Amino acid sequence: IRFEDTTAKKDMDPGANVLKLVEKTSHFDKDERYMATSDIIGLLKKESKMESFIEQRVCAAILRQLNDSSADVQAVAIKCIGELTNRVQEAQLREICSALSSALLGENEQLKDIYSIGLKTTVSGVPAHMGHAVAHELAPQLIRGIQSDNSESETVREECLDVMKDLVERFGLEMEGHHETIIGLVMEQLSNRKAAISKRATSCIGALSVVLSDTMLHRL
């Protein structure tokens, strides 16, 4: 009778290991959820590429954790997003951007800062060649958030301006079609009664001034 060492095979199959950890991200124990996500980060650092269906499973699991009841789990999920944006395919990257921006513009007021940090992490960590995809996905959503005239949406407007500044700083040249709209919106927010919003609008103008055409810069 020949006995095989299956442990070694498991260690050689990172995809299977990742999927097992994905299951643990839904564990009832917050410590198990935290450790599972932390271990996923470790595996992502070792593996340069994952199969498409594994990427989808991991992204879905990590995005769910942004709503976790534990602040520690939320924090490690954001850290994991930073690793994912360095390696996932464009389809998954767009999904991450769409999910985070939709959540930021959603009704859960308590987690706006978490979603904003997730977006800023995505913008800062994405490879340069994916800039067009990120700008195309995020710019319209952030514009919607800044445009909102609901008095209860000041937090959304503030966070959207903050993310917009980062987006313009990295990929402003990819957003040329949105420059005029962004200028109009940001200029309006300079007179906002909330100091935090007017300050973010000022920072956003500074970022815009670097990437605008001469004509647009003169108008600004």
Side-chain angles (χ1 to χ4, degrees):
I1 300 175
R2 180 180 171 186
F3 294 95
E4 293 188 62
D5 185 357
T6 57
T7 303
K9 288 187 176 181
K10 285 183 180 179
D11 292 339
M12 293 175 64
D13 185 1
N17 290 337
V18 170
L19 290 177
K20 285 188 176 182
L21 291 172
V22 166
E23 292 181 7
K24 288 186 177 181
T25 60
S26 299
H27 198 278
F28 69 88
D29 187 336
K30 67 178 182 180
D31 292 333
E32 289 288 340
R33 298 196 300 273
Y34 179 94
M35 288 306 302
T37 307
S38 182
D39 289 344
I40 288 174
I41 293 173
L43 286 176
L44 289 174
K45 288 180 177 180
K46 294 178 183 178
E47 300 298 323
S48 60
K49 190 174 182 181
M50 296 183 292
E51 293 184 50
S52 179
F53 80 97
I54 295 178
E55 282 187 1
Q56 293 173 5
R57 293 279 302 277
V58 172
C59 289
I62 299 306
L63 289 173
R64 280 197 302 270
Q65 287 190 322
L66 294 175
N67 294 305
D68 199 276
S69 58
S70 166
D72 290 336
V73 173
Q74 292 175 351
V76 77
I78 289 174
K79 186 176 179 182
C80 192
I81 286 174
E83 290 296 326
L84 286 169
T85 54
N86 282 323
R87 66 198 71 241
V88 296
Q89 300 175 39
E90 183 175 323
Q92 270 66 61
L93 180 60
R94 285 179 178 271
E95 184 179 337
I96 289 173
C97 292
S98 176
L100 286 172
S101 56
S102 295
L104 179 59
L105 271 59
E107 298 179 356
N108 193 336
E109 291 292 328
Q110 294 181 340
L111 297 177
K112 296 299 183 189
D113 57 335
I114 297 295
Y115 302 136
S116 176
I117 293 171
L119 283 170
K120 289 166 71 68
T121 300
T122 300
V123 171
S124 65
V126 69
H129 70 275
M130 292 282 202
H132 176 74
V134 173
H136 179 78
E137 196 70 42
L138 289 185
Q141 296 277 34
L142 296 176
I143 287 171
R144 278 183 55 210
I146 300 171
Q147 279 177 328
S148 176
D149 57 1
N150 188 332
S151 60
E152 297 178 357
S153 301
E154 287 195 341
T155 300
V156 173
R157 189 177 297 114
E158 183 178 337
E159 298 295 352
C160 285
L161 282 167
D162 207 19
V163 178
M164 181 69 83
K165 176 186 74 70
D166 287 8
L167 185 63
V168 170
E169 283 179 343
R170 273 214 75 189
F171 305 119
L173 294 175
E174 305 279 0
M175 304 161 57
E176 187 174 2
H178 297 290
H179 284 177
E180 186 169 6
T181 300
I182 296 171
I183 287 174
L185 290 173
V186 172
M187 289 297 291
E188 288 177 4
Q189 298 308 317
L190 286 177
S191 58
N192 192 291
R193 68 178 185 275
K194 188 174 181 180
I197 291 179
S198 60
K199 286 180 180 179
R200 280 167 172 74
T202 302
S203 297
C204 201
I205 287 175
L208 275 168
S209 65
V210 179
V211 298
L212 292 177
S213 66
D214 290 345
T215 302
M216 295 291 287
L217 182 60
H218 178 70
R219 288 176 57 187
L220 177 62

